[in-house]
Amino acid sequence: MTGSTGDTGPTGSNGATGSTGDTGPTGATGSTGDTGPTGATGPTGATGSTGDTGPTGATGPTGPTGDTGPTGATGPTGATGSTGDTGPTGATGPTGPTGDTGPTGTTGSTGATGSTAESPQSAFRAENNTTPQIIASTGTSITVMFPDEIFDLNSEYTPNSFVPTQTGVYYICASVGFVPTNGAIASSITMNIEVNAVRQVVSTNIFVPGLTVDNSNSISTILQLNVGDIVTVTFTLDNGDGSGGTILASGEFTSFSAARVPSP
């Protein structure tokens, strides 16, 4: 039979450590504890080397246009390019103001003298061979009628008037055969050559009582006429009793003619 255990003796010194045994299996991970407070940021470490550039990402949408910056200094002029095709002609602009007159150029040499053109011939004659012109009363100026045109070289005579178509000097003459109604008294007749109804030349004749032959009075002059002037012959009778008379219808007595003389 075993007796009772005696008292434990003193502990001896540690013996040498034995070799480490194999690691046992890892135990199950315990639950994560609460996160502790963030510690103070430590100093920034040295920058590492730059890594390779990644691929370029897709282009983002264009942003709004910024304000125009100040104009930079003008760069040097580049070489002149080749001339382009001529564009279409634009519409003509308004005429500008007339410039000052330039100095007169030197006079050129005189050209050869051209041929001298002759002015159209101008002459006519008209008569009264048709109807006697009755003078019913005295003291009134009338236009003498010359209804029968004998010739008219430049178409300048219209019934009873001459209208020149060229300026120049003209010889003009007229005559009137007249018989008073009362041949027993004195009669005075006055003939005028008028231009544009203004008297230019006057001729007066007195018929003596008792004469039984036809009486004629004539008038002539040279006048400077302009284109379009109207030349006529007027006649006035005066006698003591107011009786009239008759201008004869006879070309040898009653006629009107004119001709242009050589003139500039």
Side-chain angles (χ1 to χ4, degrees):
M1 156 176 196
T2 304
S4 58
T5 304
D7 297 328
T8 302
T11 303
S13 58
N14 292 329
T17 303
S19 57
T20 302
D22 296 329
T23 302
T26 302
T29 302
S31 59
T32 302
D34 295 332
T35 302
T38 303
T41 303
T44 303
T47 302
S49 59
T50 303
D52 295 335
T53 303
T56 302
T59 303
T62 302
T65 303
D67 296 334
T68 302
T71 303
T74 303
T77 302
T80 303
S82 59
T83 303
D85 296 333
T86 302
T89 303
T92 302
T95 303
T98 303
D100 297 334
T101 302
T104 303
T106 56
T107 303
S109 58
T110 302
T113 302
S115 60
T116 302
E118 295 184 359
S119 299
Q121 292 182 335
S122 175
F124 85 95
R125 177 180 174 87
E127 302 174 350
N128 185 354
N129 293 306
T130 306
T131 305
Q133 187 173 357
I134 304 302
I135 310 300
S137 60
T138 62
T140 302
S141 177
I142 64 168
T143 299
V144 182
M145 303 299 180
F146 304 95
D148 302 307
E149 181 183 297
I150 306 305
F151 64 86
D152 183 8
L153 301 185
N154 202 29
S155 300
E156 296 169 303
Y157 180 74
T158 59
N160 313 317
S161 63
F162 170 61
V163 183
T165 58
Q166 53 186 326
T167 298
V169 177
Y170 290 81
Y171 173 74
I172 305 167
C173 65
S175 63
V176 168
F178 176 75
V179 176
T181 300
N182 184 0
I185 61 173
S187 297
S188 171
I189 65 169
T190 301
M191 288 179 61
N192 303 311
I193 293 178
E194 298 185 356
V195 177
N196 301 325
V198 178
R199 184 172 60 189
Q200 306 294 318
V201 186
V202 179
S203 174
T204 301
N205 196 8
I206 303 296
F207 290 92
V208 180
L211 292 180
T212 58
V213 297
D214 295 330
N215 298 281
S216 177
N217 191 42
S218 62
I219 185 171
S220 63
T221 188
I222 294 178
L223 293 176
Q224 171 77 46
L225 298 178
N226 296 314
V227 174
D229 283 342
I230 301 174
V231 183
T232 54
V233 179
T234 60
F235 178 95
T236 304
L237 169 65
D238 287 299
N239 57 27
D241 66 355
S243 60
T246 302
I247 295 176
L248 302 177
S250 172
E252 61 182 333
F253 289 109
T254 306
S255 66
F256 180 25
S257 59
R260 185 177 186 271
V261 301
S263 54

